Amino acid sequence: MKQEIIRPAPPAPGLHGLRIDSQQRFEQLTDVLGGVHGALTDIAADAERLGGLVQEVGEARSDAGSLRRSCHELVERLGQAHAALASDRLPKALARGLDAVGEMRSECRQLRAVASMTRVAGRSANIDGIEDYIGSLRKMIQRLEDTTVVVHEGLSRIDSATREASSLLGDASRCARAALDRQQDAAPEGGGDLSSVMGVLAARLAASTSSNTGVLMNGIQFSDAFAQRLQHVEAIIDAAGDRPAPAVLASAQLRALRADADALIAETRAALQSLAADGRSAAQALAGDIGGKAAGMLADWHRELDDGRQLDLLVTPALRSAVTAVTAIEVAMEGAARDLATLATTAQEVRLAAINSGLLARRSGNGKTAMAVLSATVQERAHACSTLNTSCRDSFAVISQQTAGADFAQLARQADALGVQLARAKADLSRATALLSQLEDLKVAAQAGAADLQRGVEQGLTVLRDLPDLVRQIASRAESAQRPLSDAERAELEAFADLYTMDREREIHAEVAGVALTPMAAAQQSLDDIFF
């Protein structure tokens, strides 16, 4: 608002010239008061915007510190998983399982050799079915040996995966702890307190605006009303000629107009000064203390989000590698479990087939002794395989227990949850940066609004300073025409009764003419009633 005060030309002589001059002054006042109202509205809008900004940040930070808490929990979970995989029970169980599988492969080779000798002995003793029996036994032994190879490879994969996962879990835990150490653990700015302060400021500004806007609006519209009333007085004077009664009526209307104008000018001046004080206070708060607190809260949020970005850079790659390694363990464990079940089934089949060798030995005739020895050897080797299978399963149970203690599923869930929080923090970081920029713009706007308001108030007070003197000049035209009227003179005034457009004029006319007011005109009047 850069409205400049333009001094009007010296008034033309007579009431008409004063009316033109006053109309120019009041129109200038209208422009100035409109600018004041606009500046005040801008400041109120800035306060509302700041309140919305504070609320937005407060809602976004409703769970302040959740990212840090999640990282703390993840560090603990990583530590537990690392401890479970780094325990000496796991490598010992893996070593025992691998040894048992290796011995089982050796037993399979011996079983194959014994089966060959049993075949030769059975054929020498002409034992029926020896070929079929040995063929089936050899197939079972081959399946058992093939399964031991697969189990050995599976346990080796578990061993390799757990070693890699243990190393990567340790790296991820150290990265997460380092990221936490870099974060600042400062208490966040109280967004709730700031919102309360903003609410008080907005309420105070609204109350001040509400109580003074009516006065400003009267001042803004007073120009036209003042000019109309003066024009009516001119019409009365022009019609009066040398008659004293219309002159007395015009004099009374001018005195009332001065009183009304003086009252409105005084109220407008007080309203301007009040609004200037409240507007300056609000603008200073927005650009100063409250704006500074809002900036601090935003800066804290921005710093917290930036900590999340650093956390993402430090932790995410290591965590992703660790989770991949953990997944490899789970896959290897599932495969090993299936292979061990196959191994147990095959070992049982071999053991049952070995028992059948005793039946063949009893039918061996002259070769009974040799077949009995071979049968005992087959059964002994089959029992050894069964025992080694039990050892493998026991070792695998220990491995399963240790990996279950690592709780890979919970670790994966926490890693996923942290990933979601980091993604949200990344988006919020962009939003916080934009809000910081908006806050700076808002503070600049508040300062500009305060400057506009101050300039408008000063201009308004300047216009108001000259108006009382102009009003006195107008009212001085009525000083020489004050006296009581006779009934005949009052009757002359009936011709002017339809001239007026405002209740205040009708009220003065009724007093001078000695007539009764209508109920509407007689009611208690406000400035709105007087001028509009």
Side-chain angles (χ1 to χ4, degrees):
M1 182 179 62
K2 298 184 178 179
Q3 174 78 22
E4 295 186 1
I5 302 300
I6 301 174
R7 298 288 181 181
L15 188 59
H16 178 73
L18 290 173
R19 178 171 65 82
I20 298 301
D21 190 15
S22 66
Q23 187 170 0
Q24 291 175 352
R25 298 288 185 93
F26 278 112
E27 285 176 353
Q28 192 173 49
L29 178 63
T30 295
D31 293 339
V32 171
L33 293 182
V36 169
H37 187 265
L40 194 65
T41 301
D42 289 342
I43 293 175
D46 290 338
E48 186 175 354
R49 284 171 55 204
L50 181 57
L53 186 148
V54 169
Q55 183 177 1
E56 182 178 355
V57 176
E59 291 174 353
R61 298 189 70 198
S62 59
D63 195 14
S66 61
L67 188 62
R68 185 177 176 84
R69 288 194 299 272
S70 295
C71 192
H72 267 298
E73 294 171 359
L74 183 65
V75 166
E76 293 179 2
R77 179 62 59 188
L78 287 168
Q80 293 172 2
H82 179 259
L85 295 185
S87 169
D88 60 352
R89 292 188 67 201
L90 187 58
K92 288 180 179 178
L94 283 165
R96 287 195 299 271
L98 289 169
D99 288 345
V101 172
E103 291 180 25
M104 193 179 295
R105 292 173 68 183
S106 176
E107 292 293 342
C108 286
R109 287 192 292 271
Q110 293 185 45
L111 268 172
R112 190 181 295 108
V114 173
S116 297
M117 289 187 290
T118 302
R119 177 173 178 269
V120 172
R123 291 176 65 184
S124 299
N126 294 318
I127 298 176
D128 294 335
I130 190 65
E131 291 293 339
D132 292 339
Y133 168 72
I134 295 300
S136 298
L137 181 60
R138 279 182 169 179
K139 289 179 181 178
M140 293 179 188
I141 293 171
Q142 186 61 50
R143 282 203 307 274
L144 181 61
E145 187 173 16
D146 292 343
T147 306
T148 58
V149 172
V150 174
V151 170
H152 190 279
E153 291 175 351
L155 292 176
S156 297
R157 281 195 296 272
I158 294 174
D159 185 29
S160 175
T162 53
R163 291 176 187 275
E164 182 180 9
S166 178
S167 174
L168 292 173
L169 286 170
D171 291 343
S173 179
R174 284 189 294 273
C175 289
R177 200 173 294 280
L180 285 175
D181 292 341
R182 291 182 58 173
Q183 293 183 22
Q184 298 185 18
D185 198 12
E189 184 76 32
D193 295 340
L194 191 55
S195 294
S196 299
V197 173
M198 285 301 307
V200 172
L201 176 65
R204 188 177 66 196
L205 196 58
S208 174
T209 303
S210 176
S211 62
N212 291 293
T213 294
V215 179
L216 285 185
M217 292 300 102
N218 284 337
I220 288 174
Q221 299 185 44
F222 184 65
S223 170
D224 187 54
F226 192 88
Q228 283 188 50
R229 288 176 67 176
L230 271 181
Q231 193 172 16
H232 296 161
V233 172
E234 283 187 78
I236 295 171
I237 292 174
D238 291 342
D242 295 333
R243 291 180 297 167
V248 171
L249 177 60
S251 176
Q253 291 287 4
L254 285 175
R255 286 195 302 273
L257 182 58
R258 176 184 177 179
D260 296 340
D262 286 344
L264 184 131
I265 289 170
E267 289 192 20
T268 302
R269 182 183 291 109
L272 278 175
Q273 293 169 340
S274 174
L275 288 171
D278 290 339
R280 280 195 302 270
S281 175
Q284 289 169 358
L286 292 177
D289 183 45
I290 292 179
K293 288 183 177 179
M297 185 176 73
L298 261 174
D300 286 344
W301 187 40
H302 192 280
R303 185 165 49 251
E304 178 184 332
L305 293 172
D306 191 61
D307 287 342
R309 185 174 64 87
Q310 297 298 327
L311 185 68
D312 188 18
L313 292 175
L314 286 171
V315 176
T316 300
L319 184 60
R320 188 180 295 115
S321 298
V323 171
T324 300
V326 163
T327 303
I329 293 177
E330 293 178 324
V331 172
M333 290 288 291
E334 291 176 2
R338 290 192 301 270
D339 296 337
L340 280 170
T342 302
L343 183 66
T345 301
T346 307
Q348 180 65 15
E349 290 175 353
V350 171
R351 184 168 177 273
L352 292 174
I355 293 174
N356 290 335
S357 65
L359 299 176
L360 292 174
R362 284 195 291 273
R363 298 199 305 250
S364 60
N366 294 332
K368 183 176 181 180
T369 301
M371 281 298 296
V373 171
L374 290 173
S375 173
T377 303
V378 169
Q379 292 183 55
E380 183 180 330
R381 299 278 67 80
H383 179 72
C385 285
S386 180
T387 301
L388 290 170
N389 172 65
T390 301
S391 178
C392 281
R393 294 183 65 83
D394 291 344
S395 297
F396 188 77
V398 174
I399 297 169
S400 297
Q401 184 181 17
Q402 285 300 114
T403 53
D407 201 351
F408 296 145
Q410 179 63 19
L411 176 62
R413 284 193 295 271
Q414 286 185 265
D416 289 342
L418 181 64
V420 171
Q421 286 184 297
L422 288 172
R424 186 170 63 244
K426 185 177 181 180
D428 283 345
L429 183 61
S430 299
R431 183 164 58 142
T433 302
L435 288 177
L436 276 172
S437 177
Q438 290 179 27
L439 178 61
E440 290 304 314
D441 293 343
L442 190 150
K443 291 166 69 175
V444 171
Q447 291 172 337
D452 285 346
L453 179 64
Q454 183 62 34
R455 187 161 48 249
V457 168
E458 291 173 355
Q459 291 175 353
L461 293 175
T462 299
V463 174
L464 289 174
R465 185 181 61 212
D466 296 334
L467 277 175
D469 182 61
L470 181 59
V471 172
R472 279 193 297 273
Q473 292 182 50
I474 294 172
S476 66
R477 302 300 176 117
E479 294 176 358
S480 60
Q482 299 184 46
R483 68 176 181 82
L485 298 177
S486 65
D487 291 342
E489 288 175 324
R490 289 175 179 173
E492 293 179 25
L493 302 181
E494 180 64 25
F496 303 106
D498 295 332
L499 177 65
Y500 310 115
T501 57
M502 283 163 268
D503 288 341
R504 179 61 165 157
E505 295 175 295
R506 297 185 183 97
E507 177 187 348
I508 302 304
H509 179 93
E511 289 177 2
V512 175
V515 297
L517 284 172
T518 61
M520 181 179 297
Q524 185 177 2
Q525 295 174 328
S526 66
L527 285 174
D528 283 344
D529 299 321
I530 292 171
F531 296 114
F532 317 118

